[in-house]
Amino acid sequence: MVTADTATAAPHIYDLSGGALCLDFANTVSNRGSDAPIDRLLAYGDLLAWSEQSRAATPAQVRDLARLAAAHPSAARDALARAVEVREALYRLFATASAKKRPRPADLALVNEQIPVAFRRSRLATAGDHYAFRVEAAADDLLSPLAPVIKSAVDLLTSPSLDRVRTCAADTCEWLFLDTTKNRTRRWCDMKVCGNREKVRRFRSRV
């Protein structure tokens, strides 16, 4: 039986426009820049829903983890709390990188703590005519959906693409995204949402 601690009535449809798994995970708080941010990870089931939608975990792994969480609700709550701590540390690391500032040592330390745990889930696998280094979730570890997130963060933080990380220019959004435009002028996490909303706000301020 799945409890309120392990699932929500209707899974939220997560926006995955960040351009990297770790940024999409950091963006599981809506309206970060407002007075009333909305946390989308309030139950362990929310973490599983995000993991399945983002493909950080397979549907089979999600089903197994849901059963494990239902059998061990206290452990599921602990895993969710740790995942949220890591999410916030990742957000601050990438936000400071976007602002060309130095990271907080505590945030870097928290992510470093997760690296050996995450890479225990790693394996070398064939992918067509080449090899791929994969870090995957596992059905017997409630925190394992974080493993591919941590790999994504390590890859991006050590990549030249780090200087393409941006924070959405909308005052109430502040989501993170990779600016892959040729001239590096992208300002919004999603032009259809924040970009249009900002255009409407500016228009109304002029009339």
Side-chain angles (χ1 to χ4, degrees):
M1 177 180 176
V2 178
T3 69
D5 288 323
T6 59
T8 52
H12 176 71
I13 304 302
Y14 292 90
D15 186 300
L16 304 173
S17 61
L21 185 66
C22 54
L23 301 184
D24 288 333
F25 185 60
N27 289 343
T28 54
V29 174
S30 299
N31 301 327
R32 271 193 182 272
S34 74
D35 294 331
I38 303 169
D39 194 330
R40 301 295 183 181
L41 299 182
L42 295 179
Y44 187 77
D46 298 329
L47 177 61
L48 291 184
W50 178 85
S51 298
E52 183 169 3
Q53 291 177 34
S54 67
R55 299 185 179 180
T58 67
Q61 288 168 339
V62 166
R63 288 193 295 272
D64 289 341
L65 286 168
R67 285 193 288 268
L68 184 62
H72 303 280
S74 178
R77 287 191 293 271
D78 290 344
L80 175 67
R82 174 52 57 137
V84 168
E85 286 181 348
V86 172
R87 179 193 65 189
E88 295 307 295
L90 288 173
Y91 181 85
R92 289 188 294 266
L93 284 176
F94 286 111
T96 55
S98 172
K100 310 301 181 187
K101 296 180 180 178
R102 294 184 62 82
R104 289 171 43 178
D107 292 333
L108 196 57
L110 182 57
V111 173
N112 270 324
E113 286 177 8
Q114 297 303 310
I115 291 175
V117 179
F119 279 78
R120 284 206 302 267
R121 301 296 181 187
S122 63
R123 65 188 179 92
L124 189 65
T126 55
D129 60 354
H130 62 282
Y131 289 92
F133 187 65
R134 294 177 178 168
V135 177
E136 300 175 341
D140 61 348
D141 182 348
L142 291 168
L143 200 57
S144 69
L146 274 191
V149 173
I150 294 299
K151 180 184 183 297
S152 171
V154 170
D155 288 345
L156 184 52
L157 287 166
T158 59
S159 163
S161 296
L162 182 61
D163 69 358
R164 289 183 174 268
V165 175
R166 303 284 185 269
T167 303
C168 183
D171 291 340
T172 60
C173 180
E174 296 187 0
W175 269 7
L176 300 166
F177 63 89
L178 270 181
D179 180 4
T180 57
T181 60
K182 186 175 181 179
N183 55 4
R184 304 191 182 199
T185 56
R186 180 178 163 189
R187 299 187 62 208
W188 320 105
C189 63
D190 190 331
M191 185 63 203
K192 295 178 182 178
V193 180
C194 287
N196 285 342
R197 186 183 297 139
E198 188 67 12
K199 284 184 177 181
V200 170
R201 187 188 67 79
R202 290 178 180 176
F203 173 78
R204 289 176 175 172
S205 68
R206 292 195 296 267
V207 297

